[in-house]
Amino acid sequence: MLRVTSMRVGSCRVRPFAAGLAGWRKVDLPALVTLIETPNASVLIDCGYGPAFFDATHRFPARAYRIATPVQLPDHEHITSQLNCRPDLIVLTHMHGDHVAGLMDLSRDVPVCASGAAIAHLATLRGVRATLEACPPILRDGVMARAPQPVEDHDLIETELPEFPQGRDLLGTGEIIAIPLPGHGAGQIGIWVPQTAHFLIADAAYGREALRTGRMPPAFVLHRLGDAARYRDTFARLRRLMGARPDITFVPSHCREVIT
């Protein structure tokens, strides 16, 4: 039996309109991490926040990141307080701090993978540029020290999903499939779980509400965090998929509806 469990590993406080959500009063958006347990493997998707985030943003200019999106991480939300097993594989959907910081709290002998584009781009980041792209140097170095491997090393298979026809078979069983979701960050991927019809869409939308209503973050946010044109294209394809496949459970990485 396959099981999909999402956990809140910290949160950040933002203006909803900046995430394509309704309202103006600041809200807390969770940093979601998902554990997929198959009969033969446990795969962790993203790692959320962790103490390394606060170390990485202690001084300027990286501290500006923490000021712009204030972070909370109670002890009971630490990834090590919530995992019920040692993962066999860690998948990073993209390399932003709120997705990678918790990695530093996990065993160094667990294999890590991400898209080849995300890994290559992270390796180029230095100094202020790393902070501007939401992965300050301490976090960048911590991720690169784990020698992440490209998901493209895995077989390309058919997904049977309209709009997203192919992906990488991470376990060789067709149970967990990595699918490119370009636009936010560099080399972002999502995770399709056919058996339970879960689609983990990372930051391709900040909430199910955004997909339902067609609300995207403002242009300045899209340009600052990636490729705005590709984001809009991916977002539109996800909306069409949502309409065509109402059986799918979409899991955006910061959706307030996933954990209530």
Side-chain angles (χ1 to χ4, degrees), residues 8-78:
R8 174 183 173 124
V9 183
S11 62
C12 65
R13 196 158 183 81
V14 301
R15 298 280 183 187
F17 78 91
L21 305 173
W24 288 86
R25 283 190 170 185
K26 287 187 175 182
V27 295
D28 291 321
L29 296 185
L32 298 179
V33 171
T34 300
L35 181 67
I36 305 172
E37 297 171 279
T38 79
N40 298 305
S42 296
V43 180
L44 188 68
I45 312 300
D46 287 329
C47 299
Y49 289 107
F53 177 84
F54 299 99
D55 293 340
T57 58
H58 179 65
R59 295 177 177 164
F60 286 99
R63 192 172 184 87
Y65 182 4
R66 196 199 305 187
I67 293 171
T69 54
V71 170
Q72 294 184 347
L73 182 63
D75 288 346
H76 69 276
E77 291 185 3
H78 282 225

Side-chain angles (χ1 to χ4, degrees), residues 16 44-45 94-95 107 137 141-142 150 173 206-207 213 228 233:
L44 188 68
I45 312 300
H94 59 294
M95 300 298 192
S107 176
D141 293 346
T173 61
Y206 285 93
T213 61
D233 176 69

Side-chain angles (χ1 to χ4, degrees), residues 227-239:
D227 184 320
R230 299 187 80 186
Y231 185 103
R232 294 185 182 106
D233 176 69
T234 296
F235 187 88
R237 288 189 288 141
L238 287 169
R239 275 180 47 80

Side-chain angles (χ1 to χ4, degrees), residues 31-243:
L32 298 179
V33 171
T34 300
L35 181 67
I36 305 172
E37 297 171 279
T38 79
N40 298 305
S42 296
V43 180
L44 188 68
I45 312 300
D46 287 329
C47 299
Y49 289 107
F53 177 84
F54 299 99
D55 293 340
T57 58
H58 179 65
R59 295 177 177 164
F60 286 99
R63 192 172 184 87
Y65 182 4
R66 196 199 305 187
I67 293 171
T69 54
V71 170
Q72 294 184 347
L73 182 63
D75 288 346
H76 69 276
E77 291 185 3
H78 282 225
I79 194 166
T80 52
S81 299
Q82 300 187 71
L83 276 180
N84 60 10
C85 64
R86 176 188 179 279
D88 298 295
L89 176 67
I90 297 168
V91 181
L92 301 176
T93 61
H94 59 294
M95 300 298 192
H96 288 170
D98 53 337
H99 293 255
V100 307
L103 176 64
M104 316 314 159
D105 298 327
L106 300 175
S107 176
R108 294 181 65 89
D109 62 353
V110 177
V112 178
C113 70
S115 76
I119 297 166
H121 184 75
L122 187 67
T124 70
L125 297 184
R126 297 289 185 275
V128 174
R129 185 175 166 224
T131 297
L132 290 174
E133 298 204 23
C135 194
I138 290 175
L139 297 181
R140 177 207 62 211
D141 293 346
V143 173
M144 295 305 294
R146 301 299 181 98
Q149 300 300 302
V151 298
E152 291 82 3
D153 287 350
H154 298 271
D155 289 341
L156 188 67
I157 64 171
E158 302 298 317
T159 66
E160 300 184 2
L161 287 178
E163 306 293 339
F164 303 93
Q166 294 184 316
R168 299 290 175 171
D169 185 0
L170 296 184
L171 297 181
T173 61
E175 294 169 303
I176 301 177
I177 304 172
I179 294 176
L181 296 178
H184 179 88
Q188 179 176 252
I189 56 174
I191 299 296
W192 169 235
V193 187
Q195 188 173 322
T196 60
H198 280 77
F199 196 0
L200 315 183
I201 62 170
D203 291 3
Y206 285 93
R208 294 171 185 161
E209 170 194 341
L211 280 180
R212 289 194 299 266
T213 61
R215 292 173 58 103
M216 286 185 292
F220 76 88
V221 173
L222 298 185
H223 284 290
R224 185 174 67 82
L225 293 176
D227 184 320
R230 299 187 80 186
Y231 185 103
R232 294 185 182 106
D233 176 69
T234 296
F235 187 88
R237 288 189 288 141
L238 287 169
R239 275 180 47 80
R240 290 195 293 269
L241 178 61
M242 177 179 270

